[in-house]
Amino acid sequence: MNTEQLSQRLARVAEYIPDGAAFADIGSDHAYLPCHVVSKGKVPFAVAGEVAEGPFQSARNQVNQEGLGDKIAVRKGNGLEVIEGGEVDCVAIAGMGGALIASILEEGKEKLSSVKRLVLQPNISAISIRKWLIENGWELIEEDILEEDGKIYEILVAEHGEPLRPYKGKDENSAFLFGPFLTAQKTDTFQKKWQHEMKNWQRILQELDKAADSEETRTRRLELGQKISMAEEAVKSEKS
Ligand code: SAM
């Protein structure tokens, strides 16, 4: 992967960044995403934020090598603290767990009032992000799913709006877990992801059946049973 040839995952994330946006990529690592969108002329300016020294240096080197230092500000810091209020209107956070992405959004939420669009790509636990969006006035406007190198990734795109709109008329628990748009689209990749998860849950359930009976195992069994029935429903081939 490099700036010219992004991974499919980051290329898909880039598609959701509006043309002309003032853009920040938080947890940028090599800064491939900001270098790509700036060098292609998709956005005029970007911030690459990184909390860790090694990836921060990689981002700086990449931006310098590409001669993009006047258009990409590489900043070291935790989450959204690297952006000034009003500085950017689109923020991407990609390649981390959903819970970490939600905590970055929560800790920096005062920086988000000028931000019009969030493009979020959790590696796991997209549900943590869907919950955060609902609790904070963001409306999910699109979801995407793709497979690359044997891994399945989800992308969530949100703007300020009516947080519950995409969930209207749907089973909320199920839509939080599987995604309201993804459930409606039911792509092959979506079905593959949840069939795989379902098998994992069934395996854990079988293990729990062998474990000593306790309040904890009973609760866990119940939760897993509910998740398995929701997944069975979600992967049924009819589109909702
Ligand atoms: N965004 C790139 C991508 O999708 O390919 C890099 C993903 S990499 C797995 C995650 C990066 O996020 C790491 O470089 C890590 O240091 C950085 N990171 C983790 N927590 C962060 C935080 N709170 N603020 C800024 N960067 C963070």
Side-chain angles (χ1 to χ4, degrees):
M1 180 170 55
N2 55 42
T3 298
E4 193 52 39
Q5 186 64 54
L6 285 184
S7 62
Q8 282 179 52
R9 173 182 63 82
L10 282 182
R12 197 72 73 82
V13 169
E15 285 175 21
Y16 293 100
I17 300 165
D19 290 347
F23 167 63
D25 180 33
I26 303 300
S28 200
D29 198 353
H30 286 80
Y32 290 138
L33 179 60
C35 285
H36 179 83
V37 289
V38 168
S39 64
K40 297 281 172 206
K42 185 175 173 64
V43 310
F45 162 80
V47 174
E50 243 306 327
V51 74
E53 181 62 20
F56 167 69
Q57 290 300 342
S58 306
R60 276 232 298 225
N61 293 341
Q62 188 68 32
V63 168
N64 290 338
Q65 261 174 35
E66 304 215 17
L68 295 172
D70 55 336
K71 292 182 176 151
I72 301 178
V74 181
R75 298 180 189 156
K76 190 168 171 201
N78 184 14
L80 298 170
E81 76 177 18
V82 297
I83 53 174
E84 304 294 325
E87 190 180 23
V88 300
D89 49 32
C90 176
V91 169
I93 314 179
M96 307 173 206
L100 177 56
I101 293 177
S103 78
I104 289 174
L105 295 169
E106 178 63 25
E107 280 171 30
K109 59 181 167 184
E110 79 286 356
K111 298 284 179 63
L112 292 176
S113 51
S114 69
V115 173
K116 297 193 179 103
R117 176 174 287 199
L118 298 171
V119 184
L120 308 167
Q121 185 271 298
N123 290 342
I124 53 166
S125 190
I127 188 173
S128 312
I129 296 178
R130 293 192 189 98
K131 284 190 171 153
W132 185 89
L133 294 173
I134 286 187
E135 285 160 11
N136 290 279
W138 288 84
E139 179 179 335
L140 203 51
I141 57 158
E142 224 168 320
E143 291 175 306
D144 204 342
I145 190 162
L146 75 147
E147 181 171 10
E148 183 173 39
D149 297 334
K151 292 194 186 127
I152 293 180
Y153 302 103
E154 288 163 277
I155 298 171
L156 280 62
V157 185
E159 295 187 349
H160 296 284
E162 264 187 64
L164 289 175
R165 184 170 14 214
Y167 300 91
K168 278 194 185 127
K170 298 193 165 73
D171 175 318
E172 269 186 21
N173 289 331
S174 172
F176 280 155
L177 184 57
F178 307 114
F181 294 95
L182 296 176
T183 311
Q185 292 153 5
K186 276 193 215 305
T187 62
D188 292 348
T189 311
F190 172 87
Q191 303 222 0
K192 184 172 176 182
K193 174 183 169 71
W194 292 109
Q195 260 148 5
H196 177 77
E197 295 289 345
M198 204 159 54
K199 280 194 189 123
N200 270 341
W201 294 334
Q202 278 158 343
R203 194 179 38 74
I204 300 169
L205 197 56
Q206 278 167 5
E207 292 301 315
L208 279 176
D209 284 340
K210 291 184 220 150
D213 191 39
S214 70
E215 183 71 36
E216 200 187 331
T217 54
R218 275 196 296 277
T219 310
R220 188 85 184 101
R221 271 203 295 263
L222 195 67
E223 281 169 5
L224 282 166
Q226 282 166 347
K227 277 174 43 171
I228 291 166
S229 352
M230 285 194 297
E232 278 166 351
E233 197 55 37
V235 299
K236 272 190 192 159
S237 52
E238 317 88 64
K239 301 196 182 211
S240 60

